[in-house]
Coordinates of all heavy atoms in Angstrom, one line a residue:
R260 N -20.6 4.6 -19.3 CA -21.2 5.9 -18.8 C -21.3 5.8 -17.3 O -21.7 4.8 -16.7 CB -22.6 6.1 -19.4 CG -23.4 7.3 -18.9 CD -24.7 7.6 -19.7 NE -25.5 6.4 -19.8 CZ -26.4 6.0 -18.9 NH1 -26.6 6.7 -17.8 NH2 -27.2 5.0 -19.1
D261 N -21.0 7.0 -16.6 CA -21.0 7.1 -15.2 C -20.0 6.2 -14.5 O -20.0 6.1 -13.2 CB -22.4 6.7 -14.6 CG -23.5 7.8 -15.0 OD1 -23.1 9.0 -15.2 OD2 -24.6 7.4 -15.1
G262 N -19.1 5.6 -15.2 CA -18.0 4.9 -14.6 C -17.0 5.7 -13.9 O -16.9 6.9 -14.1
T263 N -16.2 5.1 -13.0 CA -15.3 5.8 -12.1 C -13.9 5.2 -12.3 O -13.7 4.0 -12.1 CB -15.7 5.8 -10.6 OG1 -17.0 6.3 -10.5 CG2 -14.8 6.6 -9.8
M264 N -12.9 6.1 -12.6 CA -11.5 5.6 -12.6 C -10.8 6.2 -11.3 O -10.9 7.4 -11.1 CB -10.8 6.1 -13.8 CG -9.3 5.9 -13.8 SD -8.7 5.8 -15.5 CE -7.0 6.3 -15.3
I265 N -10.3 5.3 -10.5 CA -9.7 5.7 -9.2 C -8.2 5.6 -9.3 O -7.6 4.5 -9.6 CB -10.2 4.8 -8.1 CG1 -11.7 4.8 -8.1 CG2 -9.6 5.2 -6.8 CD1 -12.3 3.6 -7.5
L266 N -7.5 6.7 -9.1 CA -6.0 6.7 -9.1 C -5.6 6.4 -7.7 O -5.9 7.1 -6.7 CB -5.5 8.1 -9.5 CG -5.9 8.6 -10.9 CD1 -5.2 10.0 -11.1 CD2 -5.7 7.6 -12.0
V267 N -4.7 5.4 -7.6 CA -4.0 5.2 -6.3 C -2.5 5.2 -6.5 O -1.8 5.6 -5.6 CB -4.4 3.8 -5.6 CG1 -5.8 4.0 -5.0 CG2 -4.3 2.6 -6.5
G268 N -2.1 4.9 -7.7 CA -0.6 5.1 -8.1 C -0.3 6.6 -8.0 O -1.1 7.4 -8.3
L269 N 1.0 6.8 -7.6 CA 1.4 8.2 -7.5 C 2.7 8.5 -8.2 O 3.7 8.7 -7.6 CB 1.7 8.5 -6.0 CG 0.5 8.8 -5.1 CD1 0.9 8.6 -3.6 CD2 0.0 10.2 -5.3
P270 N 2.6 8.6 -9.6 CA 3.8 8.9 -10.4 C 4.3 10.3 -10.0 O 3.6 11.1 -9.5 CB 3.2 9.0 -11.8 CG 1.9 8.2 -11.8 CD 1.4 8.4 -10.4
D271 N 5.6 10.5 -10.2 CA 6.3 11.7 -9.8 C 6.1 12.8 -10.8 O 6.5 14.0 -10.5 CB 7.8 11.4 -9.5 CG 8.5 10.9 -10.8 OD1 7.8 10.5 -11.8 OD2 9.7 10.9 -10.8
Q272 N 5.5 12.6 -12.0 CA 5.3 13.6 -13.0 C 3.8 13.8 -13.4 O 3.1 12.8 -13.4 CB 6.1 13.3 -14.3 CG 7.6 13.2 -14.1 CD 8.2 14.6 -13.7 OE1 7.7 15.6 -14.2 NE2 9.2 14.6 -12.8
P273 N 3.3 15.0 -13.6 CA 2.0 15.2 -14.1 C 1.8 14.7 -15.5 O 2.7 14.6 -16.2 CB 1.8 16.7 -14.0 CG 3.1 17.3 -14.0 CD 4.1 16.3 -13.5
V274 N 0.5 14.4 -15.8 CA 0.2 13.9 -17.2 C -1.0 14.7 -17.7 O -1.9 15.0 -16.9 CB -0.3 12.4 -17.0 CG1 -0.8 11.9 -18.4 CG2 0.9 11.5 -16.6
P275 N -0.9 15.2 -19.0 CA -2.1 16.0 -19.5 C -3.4 15.2 -19.6 O -3.4 14.0 -19.8 CB -1.6 16.4 -20.9 CG -0.2 15.8 -21.1 CD 0.1 14.9 -19.9
L276 N -4.4 15.9 -19.3 CA -5.8 15.3 -19.2 C -6.7 16.0 -20.2 O -6.8 17.2 -20.2 CB -6.3 15.4 -17.8 CG -7.5 14.6 -17.4 CD1 -7.2 13.1 -17.4 CD2 -8.0 15.0 -16.0

Side-chain angles (χ1 to χ4, degrees):
R260 173 169 54 83
D261 292 330
T263 304
M264 173 156 154
I265 303 154
L266 306 182
V267 288
L269 277 165
D271 59 346
Q272 296 296 322
V274 172
L276 190 67

